[in-house]
mmCIF file of all heavy atoms in Angstrom:
data_model
loop_
_atom_site.group_PDB
_atom_site.id
_atom_site.type_symbol
_atom_site.label_atom_id
_atom_site.label_comp_id
_atom_site.label_asym_id
_atom_site.label_seq_id
_atom_site.Cartn_x
_atom_site.Cartn_y
_atom_site.Cartn_z
ATOM 1 N N VAL A 1 -90.622 -13.431 -97.383
ATOM 2 C CA VAL A 1 -90.143 -12.414 -98.306
ATOM 3 C C VAL A 1 -90.222 -12.911 -99.742
ATOM 4 O O VAL A 1 -90.522 -12.171 -100.703
ATOM 5 C CB VAL A 1 -88.692 -12.017 -97.992
ATOM 6 C CG1 VAL A 1 -88.082 -11.153 -99.081
ATOM 7 C CG2 VAL A 1 -88.678 -11.295 -96.660
ATOM 8 N N LEU A 2 -90.006 -14.176 -99.958
ATOM 9 C CA LEU A 2 -89.956 -14.751 -101.296
ATOM 10 C C LEU A 2 -91.316 -14.999 -101.959
ATOM 11 O O LEU A 2 -91.389 -15.325 -103.109
ATOM 12 C CB LEU A 2 -89.096 -16.012 -101.267
ATOM 13 C CG LEU A 2 -87.644 -15.743 -100.987
ATOM 14 C CD1 LEU A 2 -86.884 -17.098 -100.745
ATOM 15 C CD2 LEU A 2 -86.996 -14.987 -102.114
ATOM 16 N N LYS A 3 -92.369 -14.865 -101.207
ATOM 17 C CA LYS A 3 -93.671 -15.114 -101.778
ATOM 18 C C LYS A 3 -93.945 -14.266 -103.014
ATOM 19 O O LYS A 3 -94.566 -14.698 -104.009
ATOM 20 C CB LYS A 3 -94.777 -14.926 -100.720
ATOM 21 C CG LYS A 3 -94.764 -16.108 -99.737
ATOM 22 C CD LYS A 3 -95.891 -16.063 -98.787
ATOM 23 C CE LYS A 3 -95.755 -17.278 -97.858
ATOM 24 N NZ LYS A 3 -96.730 -17.312 -96.865
ATOM 25 N N GLY A 4 -93.492 -13.001 -103.030
ATOM 26 C CA GLY A 4 -93.625 -12.157 -104.164
ATOM 27 C C GLY A 4 -92.964 -12.710 -105.427
ATOM 28 O O GLY A 4 -93.427 -12.576 -106.516
ATOM 29 N N ALA A 5 -91.792 -13.302 -105.197
ATOM 30 C CA ALA A 5 -91.091 -13.943 -106.339
ATOM 31 C C ALA A 5 -91.836 -15.090 -106.859
ATOM 32 O O ALA A 5 -92.005 -15.296 -108.085
ATOM 33 C CB ALA A 5 -89.660 -14.388 -105.918
ATOM 34 N N PHE A 6 -92.342 -15.942 -105.969
ATOM 35 C CA PHE A 6 -93.111 -17.178 -106.353
ATOM 36 C C PHE A 6 -94.357 -16.770 -107.168
ATOM 37 O O PHE A 6 -94.653 -17.347 -108.187
ATOM 38 C CB PHE A 6 -93.470 -17.992 -105.163
ATOM 39 C CG PHE A 6 -92.345 -18.481 -104.322
ATOM 40 C CD1 PHE A 6 -92.453 -18.587 -102.967
ATOM 41 C CD2 PHE A 6 -91.105 -18.767 -104.900
ATOM 42 C CE1 PHE A 6 -91.412 -19.107 -102.197
ATOM 43 C CE2 PHE A 6 -90.048 -19.231 -104.162
ATOM 44 C CZ PHE A 6 -90.194 -19.412 -102.773
ATOM 45 N N GLU A 7 -95.013 -15.698 -106.674
ATOM 46 C CA GLU A 7 -96.263 -15.258 -107.379
ATOM 47 C C GLU A 7 -95.917 -14.786 -108.788
ATOM 48 O O GLU A 7 -96.660 -15.151 -109.755
ATOM 49 C CB GLU A 7 -96.913 -14.136 -106.601
ATOM 50 C CG GLU A 7 -97.536 -14.595 -105.302
ATOM 51 C CD GLU A 7 -98.002 -13.466 -104.397
ATOM 52 O OE1 GLU A 7 -98.001 -12.268 -104.897
ATOM 53 O OE2 GLU A 7 -98.345 -13.675 -103.222
ATOM 54 N N GLN A 8 -94.882 -14.014 -108.916
ATOM 55 C CA GLN A 8 -94.535 -13.514 -110.308
ATOM 56 C C GLN A 8 -94.084 -14.652 -111.217
ATOM 57 O O GLN A 8 -94.485 -14.681 -112.391
ATOM 58 C CB GLN A 8 -93.362 -12.503 -110.200
ATOM 59 C CG GLN A 8 -93.761 -11.178 -109.573
ATOM 60 C CD GLN A 8 -94.816 -10.429 -110.384
ATOM 61 O OE1 GLN A 8 -94.861 -10.554 -111.637
ATOM 62 N NE2 GLN A 8 -95.576 -9.623 -109.755
ATOM 63 N N LEU A 9 -93.304 -15.585 -110.732
ATOM 64 C CA LEU A 9 -92.858 -16.692 -111.524
ATOM 65 C C LEU A 9 -94.059 -17.550 -111.951
ATOM 66 O O LEU A 9 -94.141 -17.998 -113.104
ATOM 67 C CB LEU A 9 -91.791 -17.548 -110.769
ATOM 68 C CG LEU A 9 -90.505 -16.832 -110.560
ATOM 69 C CD1 LEU A 9 -89.619 -17.574 -109.551
ATOM 70 C CD2 LEU A 9 -89.764 -16.560 -111.881
ATOM 71 N N LYS A 10 -94.976 -17.787 -111.045
ATOM 72 C CA LYS A 10 -96.177 -18.539 -111.414
ATOM 73 C C LYS A 10 -97.014 -17.797 -112.451
ATOM 74 O O LYS A 10 -97.539 -18.441 -113.385
ATOM 75 C CB LYS A 10 -96.976 -18.854 -110.112
ATOM 76 C CG LYS A 10 -96.388 -19.910 -109.249
ATOM 77 C CD LYS A 10 -97.244 -20.042 -107.954
ATOM 78 C CE LYS A 10 -96.540 -20.994 -106.980
ATOM 79 N NZ LYS A 10 -97.268 -21.090 -105.718
ATOM 80 N N LYS A 11 -97.181 -16.516 -112.206
ATOM 81 C CA LYS A 11 -98.015 -15.702 -113.130
ATOM 82 C C LYS A 11 -97.442 -15.757 -114.551
ATOM 83 O O LYS A 11 -98.179 -15.813 -115.516
ATOM 84 C CB LYS A 11 -98.060 -14.256 -112.609
ATOM 85 C CG LYS A 11 -99.030 -13.381 -113.356
ATOM 86 C CD LYS A 11 -98.960 -11.926 -112.885
ATOM 87 C CE LYS A 11 -99.257 -11.814 -111.442
ATOM 88 N NZ LYS A 11 -99.288 -10.438 -110.945
ATOM 89 N N LEU A 12 -96.132 -15.786 -114.650
ATOM 90 C CA LEU A 12 -95.489 -15.834 -115.929
ATOM 91 C C LEU A 12 -95.228 -17.229 -116.464
ATOM 92 O O LEU A 12 -94.643 -17.448 -117.528
ATOM 93 C CB LEU A 12 -94.167 -15.055 -115.900
ATOM 94 C CG LEU A 12 -94.286 -13.558 -115.741
ATOM 95 C CD1 LEU A 12 -92.956 -12.916 -115.290
ATOM 96 C CD2 LEU A 12 -94.811 -12.931 -116.985
ATOM 97 N N GLU A 13 -95.668 -18.241 -115.678
ATOM 98 C CA GLU A 13 -95.530 -19.651 -115.999
ATOM 99 C C GLU A 13 -94.103 -20.061 -116.280
ATOM 100 O O GLU A 13 -93.780 -20.838 -117.138
ATOM 101 C CB GLU A 13 -96.441 -19.973 -117.243
ATOM 102 C CG GLU A 13 -97.874 -19.731 -116.997
ATOM 103 C CD GLU A 13 -98.740 -19.971 -118.245
ATOM 104 O OE1 GLU A 13 -98.277 -19.587 -119.350
ATOM 105 O OE2 GLU A 13 -99.821 -20.497 -118.088
ATOM 106 N N ILE A 14 -93.219 -19.547 -115.366
ATOM 107 C CA ILE A 14 -91.803 -19.917 -115.421
ATOM 108 C C ILE A 14 -91.570 -21.006 -114.369
ATOM 109 O O ILE A 14 -91.906 -20.841 -113.208
ATOM 110 C CB ILE A 14 -90.900 -18.678 -115.108
ATOM 111 C CG1 ILE A 14 -91.109 -17.576 -116.112
ATOM 112 C CG2 ILE A 14 -89.445 -19.088 -114.981
ATOM 113 C CD1 ILE A 14 -90.442 -16.260 -115.814
ATOM 114 N N PRO A 15 -91.043 -22.125 -114.837
ATOM 115 C CA PRO A 15 -90.779 -23.217 -113.887
ATOM 116 C C PRO A 15 -89.653 -22.775 -112.919
ATOM 117 O O PRO A 15 -88.687 -22.119 -113.324
ATOM 118 C CB PRO A 15 -90.293 -24.353 -114.754
ATOM 119 C CG PRO A 15 -89.846 -23.751 -116.040
ATOM 120 C CD PRO A 15 -90.654 -22.478 -116.223
ATOM 121 N N PHE A 16 -89.855 -23.129 -111.680
ATOM 122 C CA PHE A 16 -88.823 -22.793 -110.642
ATOM 123 C C PHE A 16 -88.766 -23.833 -109.563
ATOM 124 O O PHE A 16 -89.692 -24.615 -109.403
ATOM 125 C CB PHE A 16 -89.086 -21.410 -110.091
ATOM 126 C CG PHE A 16 -90.336 -21.322 -109.208
ATOM 127 C CD1 PHE A 16 -90.274 -21.461 -107.837
ATOM 128 C CD2 PHE A 16 -91.564 -21.054 -109.772
ATOM 129 C CE1 PHE A 16 -91.411 -21.416 -107.067
ATOM 130 C CE2 PHE A 16 -92.708 -20.940 -108.989
ATOM 131 C CZ PHE A 16 -92.610 -21.166 -107.641
ATOM 132 N N GLU A 17 -87.640 -23.786 -108.876
ATOM 133 C CA GLU A 17 -87.467 -24.629 -107.656
ATOM 134 C C GLU A 17 -87.030 -23.707 -106.562
ATOM 135 O O GLU A 17 -86.328 -22.722 -106.799
ATOM 136 C CB GLU A 17 -86.398 -25.685 -107.851
ATOM 137 C CG GLU A 17 -86.724 -26.777 -108.831
ATOM 138 C CD GLU A 17 -85.637 -27.816 -108.998
ATOM 139 O OE1 GLU A 17 -84.699 -27.844 -108.123
ATOM 140 O OE2 GLU A 17 -85.693 -28.554 -109.925
ATOM 141 N N ALA A 18 -87.441 -24.017 -105.319
ATOM 142 C CA ALA A 18 -86.961 -23.304 -104.160
ATOM 143 C C ALA A 18 -86.192 -24.221 -103.230
ATOM 144 O O ALA A 18 -86.562 -25.405 -103.119
ATOM 145 C CB ALA A 18 -88.146 -22.683 -103.452
ATOM 146 N N HIS A 19 -85.078 -23.706 -102.707
ATOM 147 C CA HIS A 19 -84.261 -24.508 -101.825
ATOM 148 C C HIS A 19 -83.712 -23.627 -100.678
ATOM 149 O O HIS A 19 -83.685 -22.443 -100.786
ATOM 150 C CB HIS A 19 -83.056 -25.091 -102.554
ATOM 151 C CG HIS A 19 -83.429 -26.017 -103.674
ATOM 152 N ND1 HIS A 19 -83.717 -27.356 -103.452
ATOM 153 C CD2 HIS A 19 -83.580 -25.816 -105.007
ATOM 154 C CE1 HIS A 19 -84.018 -27.901 -104.602
ATOM 155 N NE2 HIS A 19 -83.953 -26.967 -105.582
ATOM 156 N N VAL A 20 -83.358 -24.300 -99.594
ATOM 157 C CA VAL A 20 -82.659 -23.574 -98.480
ATOM 158 C C VAL A 20 -81.186 -24.124 -98.471
ATOM 159 O O VAL A 20 -80.948 -25.284 -98.274
ATOM 160 C CB VAL A 20 -83.322 -23.899 -97.108
ATOM 161 C CG1 VAL A 20 -82.520 -23.260 -95.981
ATOM 162 C CG2 VAL A 20 -84.783 -23.492 -97.113
ATOM 163 N N TYR A 21 -80.315 -23.183 -98.757
ATOM 164 C CA TYR A 21 -78.863 -23.415 -98.641
ATOM 165 C C TYR A 21 -78.217 -22.213 -97.980
ATOM 166 O O TYR A 21 -78.482 -21.084 -98.394
ATOM 167 C CB TYR A 21 -78.217 -23.683 -100.001
ATOM 168 C CG TYR A 21 -78.633 -24.961 -100.683
ATOM 169 C CD1 TYR A 21 -79.229 -24.899 -101.971
ATOM 170 C CD2 TYR A 21 -78.462 -26.200 -100.115
ATOM 171 C CE1 TYR A 21 -79.647 -26.027 -102.614
ATOM 172 C CE2 TYR A 21 -78.891 -27.375 -100.785
ATOM 173 C CZ TYR A 21 -79.417 -27.238 -101.986
ATOM 174 O OH TYR A 21 -79.820 -28.403 -102.649
ATOM 175 N N SER A 22 -77.350 -22.443 -97.019
ATOM 176 C CA SER A 22 -76.671 -21.330 -96.385
ATOM 177 C C SER A 22 -75.247 -21.246 -96.850
ATOM 178 O O SER A 22 -74.535 -22.264 -96.989
ATOM 179 C CB SER A 22 -76.650 -21.624 -94.887
ATOM 180 O OG SER A 22 -75.817 -20.725 -94.189
ATOM 181 N N ALA A 23 -74.787 -20.033 -97.134
ATOM 182 C CA ALA A 23 -73.417 -19.845 -97.511
ATOM 183 C C ALA A 23 -72.472 -20.230 -96.420
ATOM 184 O O ALA A 23 -71.314 -20.625 -96.695
ATOM 185 C CB ALA A 23 -73.214 -18.347 -97.875
ATOM 186 N N HIS A 24 -72.954 -20.170 -95.179
ATOM 187 C CA HIS A 24 -72.050 -20.469 -94.037
ATOM 188 C C HIS A 24 -72.334 -21.829 -93.371
ATOM 189 O O HIS A 24 -71.394 -22.479 -92.901
ATOM 190 C CB HIS A 24 -72.230 -19.367 -92.975
ATOM 191 C CG HIS A 24 -72.031 -17.993 -93.550
ATOM 192 N ND1 HIS A 24 -73.000 -17.093 -93.753
ATOM 193 C CD2 HIS A 24 -70.843 -17.426 -93.989
ATOM 194 C CE1 HIS A 24 -72.501 -15.991 -94.281
ATOM 195 N NE2 HIS A 24 -71.208 -16.159 -94.434
#
């Protein structure tokens, strides 16, 4: 699902990190 976010952030050259954390 998050691939669309990664693509947009890369296209706009915004640095980002991705992590897996669960609220529970």
